[in-house]
C-alpha cells in the first residue's frame, strides 16, 4: 500500500502554489510521433525563476554546489546520468557486505510507516546508518472537552528491542497533532494535558522523545493567519520542548534528556505567507527543539506533473531558511534534517485528463521497468531521472523515481550545508539506496 505522507498536506491547499518555480513541470499532451518527441515537448527547457534580483545574485555567488562525491564502491558504476533499466533491475538489491558503515556522517532520521512493512526490515538491517528512527504511530486528538493520544496499538516493542540490541539510533515516534487548534492553543488546561500525555507515553514506552507534526494542521485550520494565535502556536512548541528536555532519558546514557524533532514545510513563495514556517520561526524555536524535519519533497502533483524534489528548489529553500552562512546560521543549520523522498510518482499525461496518478514504491517502480523497458531521461536542473511509457489504454505516463544519482546529489547538497537528512520513508526505496548513507 502506497501513501506519500499520511495527513501531512492541509486539505485546503493540497499542492504548493508554484513555489519559487525552479523546476520543469510536465505538461499533459496527446499522442505524438514518438516518445522522444513527446519528452522533448514537455521537458525541453527548465525555467529557473528567482523573483528577486538580490536573491539571484546571492545564489550565484554563495549558494552551495553539489560537489558530487561517491562512496568508495561507487555503487558498481551506477551513480551516473545514463543509467539503464537493465542495470537497475539487476543491481537494485545489491548492497555492501558491511551494512553498518556510514558514508554520510551527519545525522540521519528515517521514517517508518505501518503500511510499508519493508521499512521495519530496513531499519533493522541498516540500523547503524541511522541516528534517529521515527515510526509513524501516534495521533493526538480532541475528545469532548479533553484530549486522547491514539496509536499505542501500532507500537512494536519487539522491533524496538531488536533495534536497541544492535544499534544506538534514537527511537522518536511521530505524533500528529489532530486536536482542534483553537481550543488547544487557547486553553492552558488542554496544553498541559497534551504535554502530559506525550511525556507519559515516552516514559512508559521508553522512547527517546518524539517527532511532532502540527504546523500543517494549524495552517489548514487557518489559525496561523491570526498573529496572536501564531504566537500561541510557537509558545506551545517551546513549552513541549522544554518539558521533554526536563525528563531524563530512561535507557540512553549518552543522551541526557528526551528530544523533540519538529516537522516543517518549505516556504511556498519568495515572500513568506502568514502560514509559512520561516527563518524567524526557526531561530525562535532553536533552543527548545532538537531538530527540524524539513519536507523538501512533494513539489509536483497529478495536476502539475514534474519532479518530486527539484535540486534548485531545495537549494533555494535552504537559502531562504538559513540565509548567510555565519556562525549563528550554522548553529541552527546543524538541527536541520533535509527531506529526501524514497518514493516516486507515476503521473498520467493524457490530453483531456484532469490529472491522475500518484505515489509509487520501489516494488511498483521495478514492475514498471520489467513491463515497459523504458529509456531513462536525465533532467539537469531538477537533478532527477524520469521516463515515459504508454499503458494498456495507450495513455501516456511520466514516472519520476529516485535514482542513485539523484539521491547522491542531494546527500552532497546537504553535506555542503553541514545538515542532516530525513528520509520519507525507508520502506519505499530500493535496497541499493542504503549503500549511499
Amino acid at each position: 500500500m502506497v501513501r506519500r505522507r499520511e495527513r501531512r498536506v492541509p486539505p485546503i491547499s493540497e499542492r504548493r502554489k508554484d513555489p519559487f518555480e525552479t523546476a520543469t513541470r510536465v505538461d499533459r499532451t496527446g499522442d505524438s510521433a514518438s516518445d522522444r518527441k513527446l519528452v522533448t515537448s514537455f521537458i525541453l527547457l527548465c525555467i529557473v525563476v528567482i523573483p528577486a534580483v538580490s536573491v539571484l545574485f546571492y545564489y550565484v555567488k554563495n549558494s552551495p554546489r553539489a560537489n558530487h562525491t561517491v562512496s568508495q564502491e561507487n555503487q558498481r558504476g551506477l551513480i551516473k546520468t545514463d543509467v539503464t533499466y537493465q542495470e537497475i533491475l539487476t543491481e537494485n538489491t545489491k548492497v555492501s557486505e558491511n551494512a553498518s558503515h556510514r558514508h554520510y556522517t551527519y545525522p540521519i532520521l528515517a521514517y517508518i510507516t505501518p503500511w510499508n512493512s519493508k521499512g521495519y526490515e530496513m531499519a533493522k538491517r541498516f540500523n547503524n546508518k541511522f541516528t534517529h528512527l521515527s515510526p509513524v504511530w501516534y495521533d493526538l486528538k480532541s475528545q469532548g472537552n479533553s484530549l486522547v493520544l491514539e496509536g499505542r496499538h501500532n507500537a512494536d516493542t519487539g522491533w524496538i528491542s531488536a533495534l536497541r540490541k544492535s544499534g544506538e539510533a534514537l527511537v522518536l515516534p511521530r505524533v500528529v497533532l489532530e486536536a482542534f487548534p483553537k481550543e488547544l492553543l487557547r486553553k492552558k488546561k488542554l496544553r498541559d494535558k497534551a504535554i502530559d500525555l506525550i511525556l507519559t507515553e515516552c516514559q512508559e514506552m521508553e522512547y527517546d522523545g518524539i517527532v511532532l507534526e502540527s504546523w500543517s494542521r494549524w495552517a489548514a485550520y487557518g489559525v496561523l493567519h491570526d498573529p496572536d494565535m501564531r504566537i500561541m502556536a510557537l509558545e506551545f512548541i517551546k513549552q513541549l520542548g522544554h518539558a521533554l528536555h526536563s525528563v531524563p532519558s530512561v535507557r540512553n546514557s549518552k543522551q541526557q534528556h528526551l528530544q523533540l524533532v519538529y516537522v516543517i514545510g518549505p516556504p511556498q513563495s519568495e515572500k513568506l505567507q502568514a502560514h509559512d514556517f520561516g527563518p524567524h520561526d526557526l531561530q525562535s524555536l532553536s533552543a527548545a527543539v532538537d531538530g527540524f524535519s524539513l519536507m523538501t519533497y512533494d513539489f509536483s502533483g497529478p495536476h502539475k506533473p514534474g519532479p518530486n524534489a527539484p535540486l534548485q528548489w531545495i537549494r533555494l529553500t535552504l537559502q531562504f531558511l538559513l540565509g548567510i552562512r555565519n556562525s549563528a546560521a550554522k548553529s541552527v543549520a546543524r538541527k536541520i534534517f533535509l527531506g529526501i523522498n524514497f518514493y516516486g510518482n507515476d503521473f498520467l499525461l493524457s490530453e483531456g485528463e484532469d490529472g491522475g496518478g500518484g505515489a509509487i514504491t520501489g516494488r511498483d517502480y521495478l514492475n514498471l521497468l520489467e513491463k515497459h523497458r523504458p529509456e531513462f531521461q536525465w533532467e539537469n536542473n531538477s537533478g532527477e531521472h524520469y521516463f515515459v511509457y504508454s499503458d494498456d489504454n495507450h495513455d501516456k505516463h511520466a514516472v519520476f523515481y529516485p535514482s542513485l544519482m539523484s539521491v547522491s546529489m542531494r546527500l552532497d547538497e546537504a553535506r555542503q550545508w553541514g545538515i542532516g537528512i530525513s528520509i520519507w520513508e525507508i520502506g519505499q526505496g530500493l535496497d541499493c539506496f542504503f549503500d549511499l548513507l
Side-chain angles (χ1 to χ4, degrees), residues 104 109 111 294-297 309 314 337-343 402 406-412 414 420-425 437:
Y104 193 77
L109 166 66
Y111 288 99
L294 176 60
M295 298 184 291
T296 37
Y297 33 73
I314 290 174
F337 293 90
L338 179 72
I340 296 179
N341 58 290
F342 270 17
Y343 65 88
S406 69
V407 173
S408 182
M409 290 181 72
R410 281 148 184 79
L411 290 173
D412 284 339
I421 63 167
S422 57
I423 303 169
W424 186 271
E425 49 92 2
L437 303 178

Side-chain angles (χ1 to χ4, degrees), residues 44 86 120 190 237 242 253 340 369 390-391 427:
L44 181 61
Q86 297 101 322
Y120 291 96
L190 287 181
I237 300 167
H242 292 316
S253 59
I340 296 179
L369 297 188
S390 296
D391 62 24

Side-chain angles (χ1 to χ4, degrees), residues 14-292:
E14 187 172 340
R15 295 291 165 190
R16 298 194 204 18
K17 298 179 181 178
D18 300 329
F20 306 146
E21 284 300 338
T22 59
T24 302
R25 295 290 193 183
V26 181
D27 296 326
R28 292 182 293 278
T29 62
D31 291 335
S32 59
S34 67
D35 279 355
R36 169 67 73 176
K37 184 176 179 181
L38 175 66
V39 170
T40 303
S41 70
F42 69 75
I43 304 184
L44 181 61
L45 296 175
C46 288
I47 302 173
V48 181
V49 177
I50 305 176
V53 174
S54 60
V55 175
L56 176 59
F57 174 79
Y58 183 91
Y59 169 70
V60 171
K61 185 177 180 181
N62 296 304
S63 72
R65 302 297 178 186
N67 205 5
H68 183 59
T69 58
V70 297
S71 55
Q72 186 175 359
E73 66 275 18
N74 193 22
Q75 288 295 315
R76 302 163 302 281
L78 293 179
I79 303 178
K80 57 184 181 179
T81 59
D82 58 343
V83 68
T84 66
Y85 79 88
Q86 297 101 322
E87 290 172 319
I88 294 174
L89 289 174
T90 301
E91 304 288 339
N92 75 87
T93 60
K94 297 179 182 179
V95 295
S96 300
E97 291 184 8
N98 186 1
S100 64
H101 178 70
R102 292 190 65 194
H103 296 288
Y104 193 77
T105 56
Y106 293 100
I108 299 178
L109 166 66
Y111 288 99
I112 302 99
T113 59
W115 53 87
N116 264 320
S117 60
K118 182 181 177 182
Y120 291 96
E121 300 168 14
M122 295 296 101
K124 290 194 294 185
R125 183 179 177 187
F126 299 102
N127 189 354
N128 289 303
K129 288 182 179 284
F130 309 116
T131 56
H132 301 69
L133 292 168
S134 184
V136 177
W137 286 343
Y138 290 95
D139 299 286
L140 198 152
K141 298 181 177 181
S142 297
Q143 186 178 68
N145 295 323
S146 189
L147 301 169
V148 60
L149 183 63
E150 295 182 352
R152 184 179 285 198
H153 66 280
N154 290 318
D156 189 334
T157 55
W159 173 73
I160 294 176
S161 178
L163 287 174
R164 288 175 172 168
K165 288 178 181 177
S166 60
E168 297 183 355
L170 304 180
V171 177
L172 288 78
R174 190 189 71 168
V175 176
V176 177
L177 205 57
E178 299 277 10
F180 300 132
K182 290 185 179 180
E183 294 291 316
L184 172 67
L185 297 176
R186 283 176 174 162
K187 296 180 179 180
K188 182 180 184 301
K189 182 179 178 181
L190 287 181
R191 294 196 303 272
D192 293 343
K193 176 67 174 179
I195 292 171
D196 180 66
L197 285 171
I198 290 170
L199 291 182
T200 299
E201 192 70 9
C202 286
Q203 291 173 304
E204 291 183 359
M205 300 297 288
E206 298 189 359
Y207 297 140
D208 300 299
I210 67 160
V211 172
L212 179 68
E213 183 166 343
S214 67
W215 200 264
S216 62
R217 320 316 302 162
W218 294 338
Y221 278 99
V223 299
L224 299 175
H225 291 78
D226 182 329
D228 293 333
M229 290 294 294
R230 202 178 194 283
I231 291 172
M232 293 180 198
L234 292 169
E235 287 303 316
F236 172 77
I237 300 167
K238 293 177 185 178
Q239 183 184 352
L240 174 60
H242 292 316
L244 286 165
H245 293 171
S246 70
V247 177
S249 175
V250 173
R251 65 106 196 168
N252 194 321
S253 59
K254 293 184 179 180
Q255 177 203 351
Q256 299 303 311
H257 57 70
L258 301 182
Q259 288 195 7
L260 172 62
V261 172
Y262 191 63
V263 179
I264 60 174
Q268 298 185 8
S269 65
E270 178 204 0
K271 184 177 180 181
L272 291 176
Q273 305 300 309
H275 58 273
D276 284 332
F277 189 95
H280 293 298
D281 302 314
L282 200 63
Q283 292 287 346
S284 173
L285 296 179
S286 62
V289 174
D290 300 283
F292 296 91

